């Protein structure tokens, strides 16, 4: 029994020694392969996982082998040295790290960076990255912040590029929706007149209006606050021009939406006024009514055009030939809405004088 116990103990020690040599040989060969690999092709996450696996195995073996064991000590040192480097390489493999960041890193470690060169892992390790760990991590953190800001800007732009105006039918001539639906059905009926059919015409004066403009104005305000926060960030340098451009465009959009809201409110009010009752008011305000009819048709045409191209950003100024260009946008739209609002305001004032 005693002999069997001794043999079992020896077998255990041999097994532990075998494990040390196995890991030492395997890790040495693997580290050589990693170091000769181009950094851009190194699977850093997979590499870090394997390193942790070796470190765990080393911790287990230390419980069974003498602390001064030369092979185990050498293997542990080899693994730990590369482990420190792989943590930095993991940071450098982030998609946040752009060309400008690599240049800054190489300047910080007193090395010359070549844009055309693909660096191997061994070349980066030999540059003593560990000695410059703090400055490298600082550049990586700045890169991550810039990346987050850039993503936020992209999401904001994408949100506005997809945004459409919403429209709704409006009934201002005394015709309710039920009657309008009945008129639509009446269009499908026909009567015979000497063998020929005729379609009954709709009698209601239906029009469309913009809806959810208040929602758009709230989104504009939120986006402008976001852009202002970006502008005071220390990481905005690379996208400052784009942020400033969007701040300017959203300011213009806010002004146009405000003008559209005011004009539509005045237009709907006067539509209700002139179409209410027996039409006696139109006889008293003949000149004003003619002015209103002219503006009324122009506003209907404007909304009709917006329905054909409902992208919100397309009311901003575009160059001829540019996607989304139309005659009525930007400064021209602003002047037109100002004219509409001024004309409608004068009619409303005149209406107030008459009703008093």
């Amino acid at each position: 029994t005693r002999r069997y116990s001794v043999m079992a103990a020896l077998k255990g020690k041999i097994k532990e020694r075998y494990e040390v040599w196995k890991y030492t040989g395997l890790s040495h060969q693997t580290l050589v392969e990693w170091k000769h690999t181009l950094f851009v092709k190194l699977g850093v996450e997979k590499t870090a996982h394997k390193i942790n696996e070796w470190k765990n195995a080393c911790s287990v073996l230390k419980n069974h082998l003498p602390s001064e064991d030369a092979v185990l000590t050498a293997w542990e040192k080899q693994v730990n040295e590369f482990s420190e480097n792989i943590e930095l390489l993991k940071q450098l493999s982030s998609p946040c790290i752009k060309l400008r960041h690599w240049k800054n890193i190489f300047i910080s470690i007193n090395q010359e960076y070549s844009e055309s060169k693909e660096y191997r892992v061994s070349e980066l390790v030999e540059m003593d990255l560990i000695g410059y760990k703090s400055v490298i991590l600082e550049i990586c953190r700045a890169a991550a912040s810039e990346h987050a800001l850039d993503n936020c800007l992209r999401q904001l732009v994408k949100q506005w590029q997809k945004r459409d105006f919403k429209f709704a039918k409006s009934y201002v001539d005394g015709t309710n929706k039920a009657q309008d639906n009945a008129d639509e059905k009446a269009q499908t009926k026909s009567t015979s007149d000497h063998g020929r059919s005729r379609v009954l015409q709709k009698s209601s004066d239906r029009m469309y209006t913009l809806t959810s403009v208040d929602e758009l104005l709230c989104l504009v305000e939120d986006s402008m606050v976001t852009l202002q926060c970006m502008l005071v960030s220390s990481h905005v340098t690379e996208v400052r021009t784009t942020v400033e451009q969007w701040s300017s465009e959203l300011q213009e959009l806010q002004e146009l939406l405000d003008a559209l809201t005011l004009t539509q409110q005045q237009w709907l009010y006067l539509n209700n006024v002139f179409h209410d009752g027996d039409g006696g008011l139109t006889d008293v305000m003949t000149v004003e009514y003619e002015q209103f009819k002219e503006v009324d048709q122009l506003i209907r045409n404007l909304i009709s055009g917006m329905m054909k191209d409902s992208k919100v950003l397309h009311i901003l100024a575009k160059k001829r030939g540019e996607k989304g260009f139309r005659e009525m946008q930007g400064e021209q739209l602003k002047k037109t809405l100002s004219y509409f609002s001024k004309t409608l305001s004068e009619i409303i004032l005149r209406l107030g004088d008459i009703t008093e």
Side-chain angles (χ1 to χ4, degrees):
T1 303
R2 184 171 177 275
R3 187 176 298 176
Y4 176 79
S5 298
V6 171
M7 291 296 294
L10 288 173
K11 183 177 180 182
K13 289 181 179 180
I14 292 172
K15 182 179 179 181
E16 290 154 4
R17 178 63 55 192
Y18 170 76
E19 288 294 311
V20 172
W21 281 105
K22 183 186 75 173
Y23 275 115
T24 300
L26 177 64
S27 61
H28 175 74
Q29 181 61 35
T30 305
L31 287 172
V32 170
E33 292 176 1
W34 284 345
K35 288 179 180 179
H36 281 82
T37 302
L38 292 174
F39 176 62
V40 294
K41 294 185 177 180
L42 179 69
V44 182
E45 290 290 344
K46 187 176 180 180
T47 301
H49 179 75
K50 178 59 71 174
I51 290 288
N52 286 330
E53 183 182 307
W54 291 342
K55 291 173 75 173
N56 290 334
C58 184
S59 297
V60 172
L61 289 170
K62 285 173 71 174
N63 295 326
H64 301 283
L65 293 172
S67 58
E68 68 277 6
D69 188 274
V71 177
L72 179 61
T73 301
W75 178 51
E76 182 180 27
K77 180 181 178 181
Q78 184 183 45
V79 171
N80 286 337
E81 284 179 354
F82 195 78
S83 177
E84 291 182 347
N85 281 288
I86 205 63
E87 288 304 315
L88 274 181
L89 294 177
K90 189 175 179 180
Q91 295 290 327
L92 293 174
S93 67
S94 168
C96 303
I97 306 298
K98 308 297 182 185
L99 176 61
R100 62 181 181 275
H101 302 120
W102 277 109
K103 289 181 178 179
N104 288 339
I105 289 170
F106 270 62
I107 290 173
S108 300
I109 63 178
N110 302 313
Q111 297 287 336
E112 184 176 350
Y113 182 74
S114 173
E115 294 183 29
S116 60
K117 182 177 179 179
E118 290 188 323
Y119 289 88
R120 297 187 181 279
V121 174
S122 58
E123 293 175 299
L124 295 176
V125 170
E126 289 167 4
M127 291 178 186
D128 187 24
L129 299 181
I130 300 302
Y132 299 91
K133 182 177 180 179
S134 60
V135 67
I136 291 175
L137 289 179
E138 183 180 347
I139 293 173
C140 289
R141 283 192 292 269
S145 296
E146 291 171 12
H147 185 70
L149 189 148
D150 185 58
N151 279 342
C152 182
L153 179 59
R154 289 176 184 274
Q155 288 298 317
L156 184 148
V157 171
K158 185 178 179 179
Q159 171 187 251
W160 280 108
Q161 288 176 337
K162 293 170 60 178
R163 186 69 58 178
D164 289 292
F165 280 113
K166 297 177 182 178
F167 305 89
K169 291 179 185 179
S170 183
Y171 305 85
V172 295
D173 59 352
T175 303
N176 58 32
K177 188 172 183 179
Q179 181 60 48
D180 189 57
N181 289 337
D183 289 337
E184 287 181 357
K185 291 180 180 179
Q187 283 186 303
T188 64
K189 297 180 180 179
S190 62
T191 59
S192 177
D193 181 11
H194 302 291
R196 293 174 299 177
S197 62
R198 60 183 178 84
V199 177
L200 299 178
Q201 300 298 316
K202 276 181 63 175
S203 60
S204 66
D205 185 20
R206 181 178 60 190
M207 64 185 191
Y208 289 87
T209 58
L210 286 167
T211 63
S212 305
V213 180
D214 288 342
E215 178 185 333
L216 288 175
L217 284 167
C218 287
L219 286 174
V220 169
E221 290 181 6
D222 288 346
S223 296
M224 290 178 70
V225 169
T226 300
L227 292 172
Q228 287 303 313
C229 291
M230 290 182 183
L231 286 172
V232 298
S233 170
S234 59
H235 306 294
V236 75
T237 305
E238 294 298 319
V239 293
R240 177 176 291 278
T241 301
T242 304
V243 173
E244 290 175 344
Q245 176 189 343
W246 271 93
S247 294
S248 177
E249 289 189 357
L250 289 180
Q251 179 66 45
E252 181 185 4
L253 180 60
Q254 185 179 50
E255 293 173 2
L256 288 170
L257 290 175
D258 283 336
L260 278 167
T261 300
L262 176 60
T263 300
Q264 181 166 270
Q265 288 172 347
Q266 295 169 322
W267 172 55
L268 291 176
Y269 170 71
L270 288 175
N271 254 298
N272 282 303
V273 167
F274 284 122
H275 289 98
D276 187 36
D278 57 5
L281 191 58
T282 59
D283 296 331
V284 178
M285 302 181 66
T286 308
V287 175
E288 290 80 1
Y289 183 56
E290 290 301 319
Q291 291 176 330
F292 172 74
K293 285 199 299 182
E294 178 187 355
V295 172
D296 175 65
Q297 188 57 55
L298 291 173
I299 292 177
R300 289 171 187 256
N301 293 343
L302 173 63
I303 293 179
S304 177
M306 293 173 69
M307 290 177 70
K308 293 177 182 176
D309 180 5
S310 61
K311 291 297 179 186
V312 172
L313 293 181
H314 289 180
I315 67 171
L316 298 175
K318 306 285 183 185
K319 295 180 180 179
R320 188 176 294 276
E322 187 178 354
K323 184 179 179 180
F325 171 81
R326 57 184 179 226
E327 295 294 339
M328 193 60 69
Q329 61 184 189
E331 192 61 33
Q332 182 60 43
L333 176 58
K334 192 181 298 183
K335 290 179 180 178
T336 301
L337 291 172
S338 177
Y339 164 72
F340 289 164
S341 183
K342 181 180 178 182
T343 303
L344 296 174
S345 294
E346 290 173 352
I347 296 173
I348 292 171
L349 287 173
R350 176 61 177 153
L351 177 63
D353 293 338
I354 291 175
T355 54
E356 288 179 2

